Amino acid sequence: MNPHLAALTRTAPRGAAVALALATPDGGQLHCHGRTDDRSGEPVTPDTGFELGSVSKTFTALLLAELAARGEVRHQDTVTVADVPLTFLHLATHTSGLPRLPPGLRRSALPAWFTNPYAAYSVADLDRAMDRTRLRNPPGDRVHYSNYGVGLLGRTLAERTGSSYPALLASRISAPLGLTGTDCEPGSAVGHFHGRPLPPWRIPALPGAGAVRSTARDLLRYLTALLDPTTAPGPALTAALRDVQRPRLVKPRSTDRICLVWNLRPTSDGDVLFHSGGTRGCTAFVAFCPQRGTALAALTNAGPRLDGRFIQTGYRIFRAL
């Protein structure tokens, strides 16, 4: 077994599947371990789909940048929540002042808190919530991570283009980049929580915050495009891949920056851009460094652990590439 894959596997629960994509200046590598459903499923391959959780937000950021590059929207366009205009840039940098979750979601989530907490929260619920949302802070005042904010951005971009979020993702990102296994449909890797299989993750009202599924092969292509945007088809997508990497603000009490969704950490050998994600049944981590030409995607069909060892190990492997 590849030593990096072995290190990741040791941090995942017993029986969990792990998929790893690595990119260096010498080329890409794909490594897999385990089965799609503990010991009873098919062997995991580079084309096995995993739930990405909040790594989905990086695709929403790229949609914003691609539409802006085409002149279909602007970063300073607004969506109004409780009579307050919030710019798309506010939503993409977690500075909108919106709470982490929209009003009413926790109540609807409680019956399925450990399996599918977003599933019962509908688009109609979100419409009602927007009028009674209370901002935590004035827009642009503070950084406060918000699933609500990025999910609302994804929904608004789809509405502005007369599309749905899955269809917009497919037409503007997945098809042009050749991401044949990246969509919002259930993946073949069955998520697990404390060893228990879970139904596919559903997030109907806020797909842009966490509904995307992808494969190790697709994430390698995605990260490779971010490392070298000139390989992307068409000037709009090339410009968008650059735009999402541009720092927008410095995080409080930190040297880290926030780009469009992506976190950026300056290091002695280059800028590290990274994001993690989790559903109840899957964990994902992605990172890349344009100056070094390195990237990593790590996926497992086990929900995030409190100690964060899977993500931390992924980061350490990436830094050692």
Side-chain angles (χ1 to χ4, degrees):
M1 183 186 294
N2 172 271
H4 298 319
L5 180 65
L8 279 169
T9 300
R10 287 193 293 270
T11 68
R14 183 185 296 270
V18 176
L20 174 65
L22 302 170
T24 70
D26 295 327
Q29 301 176 39
L30 295 163
H31 304 283
C32 302
H33 168 78
R35 295 182 175 273
T36 55
D37 188 2
D38 198 353
R39 294 176 177 83
S40 63
E42 296 294 319
V44 168
T45 75
D47 299 307
T48 297
F50 289 79
E51 297 165 354
L52 298 186
S54 285
V55 173
S56 305
K57 293 179 174 67
T58 69
F59 288 91
T60 301
L62 188 56
L63 283 172
L64 168 61
E66 199 271 351
L67 291 170
R70 292 179 181 273
E72 297 178 54
V73 302
R74 299 174 305 142
H75 293 77
Q76 296 303 323
D77 284 351
T78 61
V79 57
T80 300
V81 179
D83 296 325
V84 179
L86 309 175
T87 69
F88 292 174
L89 190 60
H90 287 144
L91 298 173
T93 56
H94 298 292
T95 56
S96 64
L98 290 172
R100 188 180 187 94
L101 300 173
L105 192 147
R106 290 184 187 278
R107 184 175 61 253
S108 70
L110 283 176
W113 190 254
F114 295 107
T115 55
N116 232 329
Y118 289 83
Y121 197 79
S122 68
V123 172
D125 291 326
L126 181 62
D127 289 337
R128 289 188 290 269
M130 288 176 63
D131 289 333
R132 56 191 182 91
T133 297
R134 296 184 62 182
L135 298 188
R136 292 171 56 98
N137 310 104
D141 189 50
R142 294 187 183 182
V143 175
H144 180 74
Y145 190 88
S146 177
N147 288 326
Y148 186 2
V150 182
L152 181 59
L153 174 61
R155 171 186 162 166
T156 304
L157 294 175
E159 289 177 342
R160 292 286 178 93
T161 56
S163 183
S164 66
Y165 183 87
L168 188 62
L169 174 71
S171 64
R172 300 302 180 94
I173 298 177
S174 296
L177 291 180
L179 309 182
T180 57
T182 300
D183 52 38
C184 296
E185 296 300 316
S188 52
V190 177
H192 289 75
F193 181 74
H194 289 205
R196 178 165 51 94
L198 299 180
W201 183 254
R202 293 180 55 220
I203 180 168
L206 300 166
V212 179
R213 276 82 165 174
S214 193
T215 69
R217 192 185 307 278
D218 275 9
L219 290 176
L220 180 60
R221 290 188 180 122
Y222 178 49
L223 293 169
T224 299
L226 285 160
L227 287 173
D228 184 3
T230 63
T231 62
L237 197 49
T238 295
L241 288 161
R242 291 190 175 117
D243 191 28
V244 296
Q245 302 180 44
R246 185 160 70 84
R248 308 289 170 157
L249 54 94
V250 179
K251 281 189 174 181
R253 301 176 295 279
S254 173
T255 59
D256 287 4
R257 276 74 164 162
I258 296 179
C259 306
L260 294 182
V261 168
W262 287 95
N263 302 293
L264 185 152
R265 180 166 296 163
T267 72
S268 59
D269 53 356
D271 295 335
V272 174
L273 291 98
F274 63 97
H275 211 288
S276 61
T279 63
R280 282 292 181 261
C282 290
T283 306
F285 174 73
V286 292
F288 67 101
C289 177
Q291 291 88 349
R292 293 170 57 215
T294 55
L296 173 147
L299 304 166
T300 183
N301 65 338
R305 299 172 61 165
L306 291 176
D307 60 16
R309 289 178 60 208
F310 184 83
I311 292 171
Q312 292 167 13
T313 300
Y315 185 82
R316 287 196 296 270
I317 292 169
F318 167 73
R319 293 290 291 129
L321 290 178

